[in-house]
Amino acid sequence: MDTPTRSTVDLTDQLLAEVAQFIDLLPSAFDRAIRAVPRHLFLPPLVWLRDGNGGHRPCDRATAPDEWLSAAYSDAPLVTQFTDGLPTSSASMPSVVLRMLALAGLDRKSARGRVLELGAGTGFNAALLCQLCGDQAVTTVELDPTLAAEAERNLKAVGHAPKVVRGDARAGWSAGAPYERVIATFSVDRVPSAWLEQTERGGHIVTPWHSAWCSGYGTLVLTTTPDGGGEGRFHSFASFMPMRGPSTATPSDDGRADEAEQVTSSALSPWAVAGGDLNAEFHVGLTVPGACYAWDASGEHAPTRLDVADDTGPSWATVDYDGHHADRFTVTQAGPRRLWDEISAAYDRWEELGRPSVDGYGLTADTAGAQQVWVEGVDGTRRAASYI
């Protein structure tokens, strides 16, 4: 194996300079933590980098040591595990990691309470938590036994020994409760009740968010209330893999709904709701549960088609652009849900609300398990966005 030519000290300086573009006045405690936790020691010899075309390419430390080490100290996500051809674990962008720690209040000197991390991954985030709060205050839960063992080895190698639990993060870890802070390193589409129950009153839950429509965008910071519920707001950053359970259910293979298709037209452009406006997509994801999409540019059916499906049932819709008219699109729908009608209504509602950004949304959870997403208008009035 070739030897890297750049020092980790120089690379850490470079990384902190990149992070500073996203975090003004990086707290000194975070600076010290990053310098004390060498990121490359928490990465496997083989990682996968984004290839610029929506996929990933391998980067092997044995054959490309300089590229591997530079990647280790870049402010970029690195895939560390593939399962059945899909990425199932990654090392998150350091700037995103630090922003989440700041949202949890760990940039304050008074932050010394117990912390529960959900999703140990490689152990890097747990090591930062140990630096900030002390080893005895940190518990990390990891579903994958291989990753849990790897995280434990990596943490030991840099002199840290938090409690590493092999288990389903959805259930938290009641043995160490209550926690002052609960931090998830994967995204959810609702807050598990166990997390609320295990967080002390006035404590914070920080978790990335996803929906079927808008995968992995937005971070929720929830503060637990005296009655055992919670209330908080979303923040417009983060992209994380969704939470995995101990087993993956096989979706029904009933195919698309075979009832009569309804063909209409729509003035709503498919690009308005699936073309990269993350604020609009976030709203659609919250208010049209189960709806997901894929673009089809093969030309087999239309010059450009947006395929829409219900990930919980047989309903579907297609929205076709004929290559000439951008003011009217052919819509075909079938199934018990009229998905494009729901999406159009959601988009109209988003415009009616003033096209709010992700930061305008919040969530209230009650002790009965109901969770309501709301949006705050410019006048401070809260209006319900959806129930999840």
Side-chain angles (χ1 to χ4, degrees):
M1 181 179 73
D2 295 333
T3 302
T5 59
R6 298 189 63 187
S7 76
T8 57
V9 174
D10 290 342
L11 289 168
T12 301
D13 288 338
Q14 177 182 300
L15 172 59
L16 288 167
E18 292 182 41
V19 168
Q21 299 178 41
F22 299 96
I23 303 177
D24 294 331
L25 300 174
L26 184 71
S28 58
F30 287 3
D31 183 288
R32 290 194 298 271
I34 287 290
R35 294 184 185 281
V37 180
R39 194 182 185 215
H40 73 283
L41 297 181
F42 290 85
L43 294 175
L46 179 63
V47 297
W48 288 264
L49 315 179
R50 289 175 174 171
D51 63 8
N53 297 309
H56 296 85
R57 61 179 180 86
C59 180
D60 193 330
R61 183 176 64 191
T63 56
D66 276 320
E67 182 184 28
W68 183 90
L69 193 62
S70 293
Y73 287 90
S74 65
D75 189 30
L78 307 174
V79 174
T80 57
Q81 177 180 274
F82 270 84
T83 304
D84 297 328
L86 296 173
T88 51
S89 186
S90 66
S92 301
M93 292 175 64
S95 62
V96 170
V97 170
L98 293 177
R99 288 171 76 179
M100 288 186 64
L101 297 182
L103 288 175
L106 289 170
D107 55 342
R108 298 193 294 266
K109 291 182 179 180
S110 60
R112 292 293 182 269
R114 285 193 291 270
V115 179
L116 175 64
E117 180 195 37
L118 301 165
T122 66
F124 178 70
N125 192 62
L128 295 177
L129 290 171
C130 289
Q131 285 289 324
L132 295 167
C133 305
D135 291 19
Q136 297 304 310
V138 179
T139 298
T140 182
V141 180
E142 175 55 55
L143 174 67
D144 187 320
T146 301
L147 288 177
E150 180 186 350
E152 204 160 17
R153 287 193 300 270
N154 293 341
L155 286 159
K156 184 177 180 180
V158 296
H160 288 303
K163 185 172 186 60
V164 179
V165 177
R166 294 160 179 80
D168 184 2
R170 182 183 288 104
W173 182 247
S174 60
Y179 303 97
E180 185 176 324
R181 292 166 178 83
V182 172
I183 302 172
T185 65
F186 48 77
S187 63
V188 300
D189 58 5
R190 76 185 326 269
V191 180
S193 59
W195 299 3
L196 285 162
E197 294 164 2
Q198 294 171 22
T199 306
E200 67 181 42
R201 303 301 178 258
H204 303 302
I205 297 170
V206 180
T207 179
W209 198 262
H210 75 265
S211 66
W213 192 265
C214 186
S215 60
Y217 183 66
T219 297
L220 174 67
V221 181
L222 202 68
T223 300
T224 50
T225 52
D227 64 356
E231 182 164 295
R233 302 190 72 106
F234 290 93
H235 299 262
S236 56
F237 75 92
S239 178
F240 285 78
M241 294 178 182
M243 174 170 61
R244 291 188 292 154
S247 63
T248 302
T250 302
S252 172
D253 192 26
D254 294 332
R256 290 184 161 189
D258 56 7
E259 63 184 71
E261 300 175 0
Q262 178 192 61
V263 181
T264 58
S265 64
S266 172
L268 177 62
S269 167
W271 286 278
V273 292
D277 186 332
L278 292 175
N279 293 320
E281 292 180 25
F282 184 79
H283 180 86
V284 171
L286 286 176
T287 54
V288 189
C292 55
Y293 71 87
W295 287 99
D296 179 0
S298 67
E300 180 181 356
H301 307 287
T304 305
R305 165 173 284 189
L306 182 70
D307 270 308
V308 181
D310 179 357
D311 69 357
T312 63
S315 299
W316 59 271
T318 59
V319 186
D320 290 340
Y321 168 56
D322 63 9
H324 302 287
H325 303 96
D327 59 344
R328 188 60 57 175
F329 305 86
T330 300
V331 177
T332 305
Q333 303 181 87
R337 298 177 67 182
R338 290 296 184 252
L339 286 173
W340 189 249
D341 293 348
E342 291 184 37
I343 291 164
S344 296
Y347 185 81
D348 288 345
R349 175 64 170 159
W350 180 66
E351 289 205 310
E352 176 189 326
L353 291 168
R355 303 168 68 90
S357 67
V358 173
D359 303 82
Y361 293 80
L363 182 143
T364 299
D366 65 26
T367 54
Q371 297 184 17
Q372 181 187 37
V373 177
W374 43 264
V375 61
E376 189 172 271
V378 292
D379 59 356
T381 302
R382 292 181 179 180
R383 285 172 281 188
S386 73
Y387 288 89
I388 54 175

